[in-house]
Amino acid sequence: LPLVIFSQKKNLNEIAIMVAPLYLWLAITVPRPHKEERFLFPIYPMLCLAAVKTVDTAINWMGRIMASLSRHKEMEPRYRDSLHALLWIGAMILAISRTVALQKYYSAPLAIYSQLNHHNDHSDATTQLVCTCGEWYRFPGSYFLPESTRLGFLPSSFNGQLPQPFTEFGSRPEGQALLQPFNDQNLPFPGRFVTDPSKCRWIVDLEDSECFSNEVKYNILARRSFLDSERTAALHRVLYLPYLHERAVESGLVHYHTYVLAEVSSSSSSSSPFHVNNSINTTLCDDDNNGGLLLYTEKDFPDGYTESDRFIEVLRFHRSLLPDYIDRWIINNNNHPTKTMSWPTNVPSAQDIHSLQMDFHFCQRSPNYRNMTQTCQDLQFRIACYWLSTATSPENQQKGFHLIKDLAERGHADGMCYYGILLNQGTIPGVEAQPEQAVVWWRRAVDYHRHIWACYELGVAFYTGEGVPENAPLASRFFRRAAHFGHAGA
C-alpha cells in the first residue's frame, strides 16, 4: 500500500487521508500483547479499499512493463480484464475455502449451544445452570441460552479471571454495583466457579475435558466434531480442501475433538469428590472409560466398617492391581494417549550417552530432518536426562537444564513437564525456584499433550498450594485424571 500512495503523485494527499485511519488503528492495536481478529473489525472497509487500490495499481504497473516490451503504448483492455478476473477469481476461491473451513471446523460450539433450546423444559421456571470449564472462551453469547438459564464455570486448569454476565441495567451505576470485583493481574475470583458439578443442569465442553469426570453422571444429548488445531497441519487449519482434507484425516494430518452437550443426571451425588462405586469388587475400567480406575468412598463399604477397616480394604484392592498399574505406566506403549519416551526410568547409562550424542548429531544434519523432529527431540530429552541425573558438576547440570528448556519452548511434551519440575525444585545452579512458572509449564503440557506426569504435578501443586492457591477439589480432579491414565502415584 505505501507503494500505491507514493505512485499516485496527483492524488497523494487524498489517498493518504483516505488510508490514514487504517494505519492509525494498526498503530494502536499491534503493540498490544493480546490480539484478536475482532480488533480489526473497525478497519475492514479500509482493508478492502486498500486491497482494491493496490491490485489496480499493480496491474497498471504490469501494463506499463508489458507495453514497453511490445508495440502497444498501453495494455490492451482484454488483457487487463483477464488479469483482474484471474486475480479476483483466485481470491474468491480462497475466501470460499476459508468460509467453508470456519463453518466445518469451528462451528461446533454454536451448534451445541443452539441445541439447548431443543432440550430445555420451558415449563420449568427455576433458573438452570449451563456449565462449561476449559472451553469457556468459546461461549458464543447469552443469546444462545434459553430463558431461565445462565452460564456457570466449573473449575479447570485455567486459573485466571473469568467474564461476568451483563445485568439488566447495562453499564449504568446500578449494574456496576452488581458486578464482582475485577483486577488488573488476571487473578481468579473464587465466587465465579461452580464447585459442585451436580448443580449444573447441562455441561457443554469437549468430551475429553476436565468437565466430564467420574464425580458426576451425565447423558450425552448432542455431539459435533471440532478441529484439534494443535495436532492439525497448518494448511488444513486455515483452508478446506475437498478430497485432500479427507485424505489428510486418514493419514493423521488432521485430528478432531468432539464437542458435546451433556445433561447431568439428577442422581449425581456431590458429597464426595470421588466417584461412588456400587460394590467393593471394583475392577479396572475399560477403554471407553479412558482406562480409568474407580476410587473408593465411604459409601462403598458396608455399615460398621471403621476407618482402619476401610484403609485395609482399599490397600488390599490396590495391591491386587499393582501389575496393572505397572503395565499402564509404560508411556511408550502405542496405545497410550501420550506417545513419549518412558518417564523417568529411561535415563541412559554412561556407556550409551556417546552413541546417543552421535545419533542426535546425525539426526540434526539429516536431509530428512523435518520428518524426524520428534525422534531428534526424544534423543535430546534422553541426553538431557543423563546430564541432569548423573552429572555432578554445575556446568553439566546447566547443560542438561538448557537442553530441557529448549525442548519445552519447542513444545516437546516431556520437555515441558520436566522443565516445570526443574523450575519448581530450583536445584540447578544459577536457577532460582519458580513454582508459579512451573505450574504454567505443567498446564501447557496437560492442555497441549495431556501429559500424565504433568497432570499429577498439577494435582500436587493445587493440593500443597505451591505456585497456586490451595484448591483440594481441583487437586483431586488432576489426581483422578492422572490415575485414569495409569499414574501409579496418583
Side-chain angles (χ1 to χ4, degrees):
L1 186 57
L3 294 176
V4 175
I5 295 176
F6 292 109
S7 67
Q8 304 291 323
K9 297 180 180 179
K10 295 181 180 179
N11 303 319
L12 178 59
N13 293 336
E14 292 151 0
I15 296 177
I17 293 173
M18 192 181 301
V19 299
L22 171 65
Y23 287 104
L24 180 61
W25 188 260
L26 290 176
I28 294 173
T29 57
V30 169
R32 294 182 177 275
H34 177 71
K35 306 176 186 67
E36 296 181 23
E37 186 179 0
R38 61 191 177 96
F39 294 169
L40 298 178
F41 285 178
I43 59 171
Y44 272 175
M46 301 303 304
L47 288 172
C48 294
L49 175 63
V52 170
K53 189 62 180 173
T54 301
V55 169
D56 187 63
T57 302
I59 291 179
N60 286 338
W61 284 1
M62 292 175 62
R64 294 173 188 172
I65 295 173
M66 293 177 64
S68 66
L69 299 176
S70 66
R71 65 177 183 276
H72 301 287
K73 293 184 178 180
E74 60 181 16
M75 182 187 296
E76 294 186 23
R78 59 194 178 101
Y79 292 145
R80 179 183 178 85
D81 294 342
S82 298
L83 284 173
H84 268 289
L86 184 64
L87 192 145
W88 293 117
I89 288 174
M92 182 180 67
I93 293 174
L94 288 175
I96 293 174
S97 176
R98 176 60 176 166
T99 302
V100 173
L102 290 174
Q103 194 282 329
K104 181 178 178 63
Y105 301 159
Y106 306 109
S107 64
L110 294 172
I112 288 296
Y113 278 102
S114 298
Q115 290 290 320
L116 287 168
N117 291 287
H118 301 292
H119 296 283
N120 182 40
D121 183 5
H122 296 280
S123 61
D124 190 352
T126 60
T127 301
Q128 306 285 347
L129 272 180
V130 180
C131 294
T132 185
C133 52
E135 292 289 297
W136 61 267
Y137 56 92
R138 300 193 197 277
F139 174 61
S142 298
Y143 292 108
F144 287 82
L145 297 181
E147 293 184 7
S148 301
T149 61
R150 64 182 180 87
L151 188 68
F153 302 101
L154 292 170
S156 69
S157 57
F158 177 77
N159 196 35
Q161 200 161 206
L162 290 167
Q164 299 189 40
F166 288 104
T167 68
E168 58 182 316
F169 303 104
S171 59
R172 287 180 291 176
E174 300 92 328
Q176 298 292 329
L178 296 175
L179 293 176
Q180 295 170 350
F182 281 100
N183 61 79
D184 58 358
Q185 299 178 354
N186 197 28
L187 297 176
F189 187 79
R192 297 295 292 131
F193 291 106
V194 179
T195 56
D196 184 0
S198 64
K199 293 181 179 179
C200 302
R201 173 69 185 281
W202 297 282
I203 296 178
V204 178
D205 215 280
L206 297 176
E207 191 169 12
D208 57 355
S209 73
E210 300 160 296
C211 286
F212 302 103
S213 62
N214 284 333
E215 78 181 66
V216 61
K217 298 178 181 178
Y218 53 87
N219 298 315
I220 302 296
L221 302 179
R223 285 184 171 91
R224 291 291 187 278
S225 295
F226 186 78
L227 192 74
D228 183 352
S229 59
E230 295 294 335
R231 298 191 296 158
T232 297
L235 179 62
H236 293 284
R237 290 200 305 263
V238 177
L239 300 174
Y240 173 67
L241 306 173
Y243 177 72
L244 294 179
H245 175 80
E246 286 69 27
R247 292 290 301 273
V249 173
E250 296 174 1
S251 62
L253 293 175
V254 174
H255 299 267
Y256 279 93
H257 288 300
T258 303
Y259 231 89
V260 297
L261 167 64
E263 184 175 21
V264 179
S265 173
S266 59
S267 61
S268 296
S269 172
S270 61
S271 60
S272 171
F274 299 108
H275 180 70
V276 179
N277 302 322
N278 295 322
S279 66
I280 293 183
N281 297 322
T282 306
T283 58
L284 287 171
C285 297
D286 56 23
D287 290 338
D288 292 336
N289 259 339
N290 295 329
L293 307 176
L294 300 182
L295 303 177
Y296 283 119
T297 65
E298 293 184 10
K299 294 186 178 181
D300 298 323
F301 301 94
D303 295 336
Y305 264 56
T306 65
E307 183 176 354
S308 176
D309 295 332
R310 291 196 295 270
F311 175 79
I312 293 173
E313 287 292 333
V314 172
L315 186 60
R316 179 183 61 80
F317 165 71
H318 285 289
R319 279 178 173 169
S320 69
L321 295 178
L322 187 59
D324 297 293
Y325 293 156
I326 296 174
D327 180 63
R328 285 166 180 269
W329 192 233
I330 301 177
I331 301 185
N332 57 1
N333 186 332
N334 291 331
N335 297 323
H336 201 281
T338 306
K339 297 178 181 178
T340 65
M341 305 299 294
S342 296
W343 181 303
T345 59
N346 201 23
V347 178
S349 63
Q351 291 77 16
D352 296 333
I353 190 63
H354 179 69
S355 61
L356 286 175
Q357 289 177 322
M358 293 284 290
D359 291 342
F360 181 57
H361 181 73
F362 168 78
C363 187
Q364 288 181 309
R365 292 182 172 271
S366 171
N368 198 30
Y369 173 71
R370 290 185 178 274
N371 297 326
M372 299 172 61
T373 301
Q374 183 64 41
T375 302
C376 294
Q377 290 181 350
D378 290 341
L379 285 170
Q380 181 175 336
F381 178 76
R382 294 194 64 196
I383 294 170
C385 287
Y386 171 80
W387 292 120
L388 290 167
S389 302
T390 62
T392 55
S393 66
E395 293 78 10
N396 287 338
Q397 288 186 351
Q398 290 176 351
K399 182 191 300 183
F401 174 78
H402 288 300
L403 287 174
I404 290 295
K405 181 181 179 181
D406 176 66
L407 285 172
E409 292 174 345
R410 288 193 286 157
H412 186 261
D414 281 345
M416 297 167 78
C417 179
Y418 203 178
Y419 185 49
I421 292 175
L422 296 175
L423 290 177
N424 186 60
Q425 293 174 344
T427 56
I428 303 299
V431 179
E432 296 182 357
Q434 304 174 51
E436 294 83 4
Q437 284 299 311
V439 170
V440 170
W441 284 103
W442 290 331
R443 279 178 172 160
R444 291 177 182 173
V446 170
D447 292 341
Y448 297 158
H449 304 288
R450 304 178 190 174
H451 196 279
I452 300 169
W453 197 284
C455 191
Y456 173 76
E457 293 290 351
L458 281 175
V460 174
F462 280 105
Y463 185 74
T464 61
E466 190 170 12
V468 289
E470 286 189 28
N471 190 328
L474 191 55
S476 69
R477 284 173 177 266
F478 282 113
F479 284 139
R480 186 182 303 107
R481 190 174 176 183
H484 283 174
F485 292 112
H487 190 289

